[in-house]
Amino acid sequence: MSENPVALDLDDAGLAGGLPRPAHQLDGIQDVPFRPVQFRDNDLPTALERASQWLRETQSWLGEPVDVIAIHLDYNEASEAAYYELKLLCNEEDLAGAPIAVRQRAAADA
């Protein structure tokens, strides 16, 4: 265990309070492991655009590139569901805002 723990501002799901959330109602951040961030749509380019927008916003908020471990694309043929399911498997420490907290602590210690 670290002698200098870093305090994180997390919600009930273990995500940083300031983390940008996907804006579309079909999209969302799922539970661990690897925190899949899901973008669902019947149009793949639209799902990709929303994923790109979320990555840009989150990267800006985080102050560094988001660690995306993998990208998973699936489809659902059920008539009531969105056809494409795009998931970005992200490092949960990034989504918890750990890099921000580490930088803030380093600045406070300086």
Side-chain angles (χ1 to χ4, degrees):
M1 180 178 277
S2 174
E3 293 180 22
N4 297 316
V6 176
L8 300 175
D9 176 28
L10 304 177
D11 64 12
D12 292 340
L15 300 170
L19 173 70
R21 302 307 202 267
H24 194 275
Q25 65 184 5
L26 294 178
D27 306 338
I29 300 173
Q30 298 177 348
D31 215 353
V32 292
F34 305 117
R35 289 291 184 181
V37 182
Q38 181 177 36
F39 301 88
R40 299 174 2 171
D41 205 289
N42 287 325
D43 181 59
L44 181 57
T46 300
L48 289 166
E49 288 169 0
R50 291 201 317 263
S52 295
Q53 180 62 33
W54 178 82
L55 276 172
R56 284 186 197 95
E57 291 172 4
T58 301
Q59 193 166 282
S60 176
W61 167 77
L62 192 60
E64 62 185 55
V66 178
D67 188 5
V68 176
I69 299 163
I71 299 172
H72 178 79
L73 178 62
D74 203 354
Y75 63 92
N76 187 341
E77 293 180 339
S79 61
E80 67 279 354
Y83 186 76
Y84 292 104
E85 294 181 357
L86 172 68
K87 293 181 183 180
L88 306 178
L89 303 179
C90 299
N91 180 321
E92 62 186 283
E93 291 176 354
D94 283 356
L95 300 189
I100 295 169
V102 168
R103 283 193 304 271
Q104 289 173 342
R105 180 168 183 133
D109 291 345

